[in-house]
């Protein structure tokens, strides 16, 4: 990202931070603004009218910065072209909240070790936020499930799945806290909670020992029976009312319980089906297909769990979470545009929020190194407020985190070869893994037509596929007994998405 573009964005941002009174739509336009031709007198008048100032003379106003509200239509159009999203979305609430608090921010000094430490701590993955954003629906569904089981004094099972970094474990921590507060207010007996990370178990069957010790502390099962058998006997007999407290079992990283015969996993879910069971079992795992593989068997055993899927964070959700983290600081350390760049790239690659936090911390470290190199005897005082994390810092951190030889190779290819890769990526999404050369060529022609680019002929198209095959990006082959050549991808789709998102014409195509 060129320095002059980042400087223009920063100038608008500094103006907003100084006044502290610009509305949210002005902030959005400012962070997306790019240098344009000189404004006319009518444009300048419109700016002054909107800001409450009057013009005493018809002279043309001169300004070194472009107006953030002189042409709202153009600003909205730019945003839609850049992100392929309409601006009316929940992230605007976070943007407005950010703009309202900018006026009270103090000057950010990256040379101040204490300030740098506080910012890094706020962006650390182990720093649990006070409130969970963008996972309110999932949290509510889990809480209502547990609340229903407690109200009815009935056992139940729930399976939570989702990619890493989508807020599963953090949401469960908040649910446990919320359940405790609710049971206290309702005057109900406290719920016994057992959280087990299955990766810490020496043996998969040790989870039954942990459950037994939680129900009966200090007591061990008879030597003639295993912990599982003891639990099965315990939940098959009616218990005294004094010991009928419900028990919430959270098995994190549940996919580690999978054995060859999958018996441990089935036995664990079966505990919730016994006549006098009081277990509420919640399994958490990254494997999205775990439920699909085991649900048929669990259904036949009458212990099919309810399934809640945590989808990968979108760019708007990542941006909102990052803004919530930095808004608690008393100074502005990031350009809004830099945070948006981080959100877009992480969402395109994986949607992993932990990755986004690591990228922001890496960008801070890049700024810190830059400031130290430029430090001198005359620069020991407060730094200018433009010494914040800019887009060039964030781009360098993203390249360090995500870029691979595959990404660099794709970005260096000729345009028509990039279009072929884009067509293959679109065609192979979902369950489809390959296509014939003719099918891929048809999609290639459609993309060229939509971009008004002259397409290559079928012979040249086939030759380009062969070149991409030699570079290890596509696989072009012919199955035995098949007369048609088939094409498939050899590289990860996230690498392709990240590489082509850098090229403006591909952004809308890959959404």
């Amino acid at each position: 990202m060129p320095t002059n573009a980042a400087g223009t964005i920063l100038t608008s941002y500094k103006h907003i931070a100084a006044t502290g009174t610009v509305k949210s739509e002005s902030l959005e336009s400012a962070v997306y603004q790019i240098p344009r031709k000189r404004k006319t007198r009518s444009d300048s008048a419109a700016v002054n009218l909107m800001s409450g100032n009057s013009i005493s003379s018809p002279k043309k106003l001169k300004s070194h910065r472009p107006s953030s509200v002189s042409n709202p239509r153009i600003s909205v159009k730019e945003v839609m072209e850049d992100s392929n999203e309409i601006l009316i979305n929940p992230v605007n609430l976070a943007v407005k909240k950010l703009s309202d608090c900018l006026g009270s921010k103090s000057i950010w000094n990256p040379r101040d070790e204490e300030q740098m430490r506080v910012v890094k701590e706020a962006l650390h993955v182990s720093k649990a936020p006070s409130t969970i954003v963008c996972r309110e629906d999932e949290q509510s569904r889990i809480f209502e499930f547990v609340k229903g089981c407690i109200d009815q004094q009935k056992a139940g099972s729930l399976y939570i799945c989702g990619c890493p970094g989508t807020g599963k474990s953090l949401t469960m921590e908040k649910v446990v806290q919320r359940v405790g507060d609710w049971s206290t207010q309702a005057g109900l007996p406290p719920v016994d909670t057992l959280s087990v990370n299955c990766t810490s178990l020496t043996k998969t069957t040790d989870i039954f020992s942990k459950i037994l010790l939680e129900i009966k502390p200090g007591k061990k099962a008879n030597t003639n029976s295993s912990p599982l058998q003891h639990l099965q006997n315990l939940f098959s007999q009616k218990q005294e009312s004094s010991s009928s407290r419900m028990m919430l079992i959270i098995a994190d990283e549940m996919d580690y319980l999978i054995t060859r015969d999958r018996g441990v996993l089935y036995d664990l879910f079966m505990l919730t089906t016994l006549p006098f069971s009081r277990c509420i079992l919640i399994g958490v795992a990254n494997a999205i297909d775990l439920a699909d593989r085991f649900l048929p068997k669990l259904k036949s055993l009458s212990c099919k769990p309810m399934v809640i899927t945590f989808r990968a964070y979108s760019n708007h959700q990542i941006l909102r979470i990052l803004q919530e983290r930095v808004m608690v600081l008393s100074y502005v350390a990031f350009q809004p545009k830099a945070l948006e760049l981080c959100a877009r790239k992480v969402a395109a690659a994986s949607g992993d929020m932990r990755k986004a936090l690591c990228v922001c911390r890496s960008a801070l470290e890049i700024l810190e190194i830059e400031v130290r190199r430029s430090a001198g005897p005359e620069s020991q005082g407060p730094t200018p407020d433009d010494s914040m994390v800019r887009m060039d810092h964030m781009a360098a951190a993203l390249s360090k985190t995500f870029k691979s030889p595959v990404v660099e190779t794709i970005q260096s290819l000729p345009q028509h070869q990039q279009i072929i890769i884009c067509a293959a990526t679109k065609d192979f999404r979902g369950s489809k893994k390959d296509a014939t050369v003719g099918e891929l060529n048809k999609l290639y022609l459609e993309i060229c037509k939509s971009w008004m680019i002259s397409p290559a002929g079928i012979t040249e198209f086939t030759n380009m596929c062969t070149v991409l095959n030699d570079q290890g990006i596509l696989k072009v082959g012919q199955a035995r007994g098949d007369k048609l050549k088939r094409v498939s991808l050899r590289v990860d789709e996230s690498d392709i998405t990240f590489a082509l998102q850098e090229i403006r014409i591909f952004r809308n195509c890959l959404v």
Side-chain angles (χ1 to χ4, degrees), residues 410 415-429 440 443-444 447 451 468 473-474 489 496-497 500 505-511:
I410 294 173
Q415 185 182 63
H416 282 275
Q417 294 184 25
Q418 291 174 342
I419 296 174
I420 293 174
I421 296 173
C422 182
T425 305
K426 285 175 61 68
D427 197 26
F428 300 156
R429 283 180 176 172
L440 189 61
L443 185 56
Y444 160 81
I447 295 176
W451 293 334
L468 293 173
I473 298 175
L474 295 182
L489 286 175
I496 297 175
T497 303
L500 296 183
I505 63 173
F506 292 103
R507 290 179 184 173
N508 294 344
C509 188
L510 288 172
V511 171

Side-chain angles (χ1 to χ4, degrees), residues 12-22 99 102-105 332 385:
S12 299
Y13 183 78
K14 287 163 56 182
H15 175 64
I16 295 169
T19 59
T21 58
V22 182
S99 65
L102 283 179
S104 60
K105 301 288 186 179
V332 181
D385 54 359

Side-chain angles (χ1 to χ4, degrees), residues 37-177:
K37 64 182 181 180
R38 187 183 302 228
K39 301 185 296 298
T40 63
R41 188 182 312 162
S42 60
D43 291 333
S44 301
V47 175
N48 283 272
L49 287 173
M50 293 182 70
S51 60
N53 299 333
S54 60
I55 304 175
S56 58
S57 65
K59 290 196 301 181
K60 191 176 295 185
L61 298 177
K62 295 182 179 180
S63 174
H64 67 280
R65 63 173 64 90
S67 170
S68 60
V69 292
S70 61
N71 197 340
R73 292 185 180 179
I74 294 178
S75 298
V76 173
K77 182 179 179 182
E78 285 179 4
V79 174
M80 292 179 66
E81 289 178 352
D82 193 47
S83 63
N84 199 36
E85 296 275 346
I86 300 177
L87 281 177
I88 303 174
N89 52 62
V91 77
N92 285 343
L93 299 176
V95 174
K96 184 179 186 302
K97 191 175 179 182
L98 179 64
S99 65
D100 291 340
C101 70
L102 283 179
S104 60
K105 301 288 186 179
S106 58
I107 296 177
W108 158 248
N109 184 4
R111 292 190 180 92
D112 189 325
E113 294 183 0
E114 180 62 20
Q115 287 190 7
M116 183 65 73
R117 183 193 65 78
V118 171
V119 177
K120 287 183 178 179
E121 183 178 329
L123 294 169
H124 200 278
V125 293
S126 62
K127 178 73 172 180
S130 56
T131 57
I132 296 181
V133 294
C134 305
R135 285 290 180 248
E136 294 87 353
D137 181 56
E138 291 84 353
Q139 181 181 351
S140 177
R141 291 174 62 191
I142 298 170
F143 173 73
E144 291 299 327
F145 169 79
V146 177
K147 180 182 175 183
C149 292
I150 296 174
D151 280 337
Q152 301 174 21
Q153 291 288 296
K154 182 181 178 182
S157 59
L158 172 67
Y159 177 68
I160 299 173
C161 59
C163 298
T166 52
K168 302 185 299 297
S169 299
L170 183 61
T171 300
M172 281 308 308
E173 291 178 10
K174 298 299 181 182
V175 167
V176 170
Q177 181 181 352

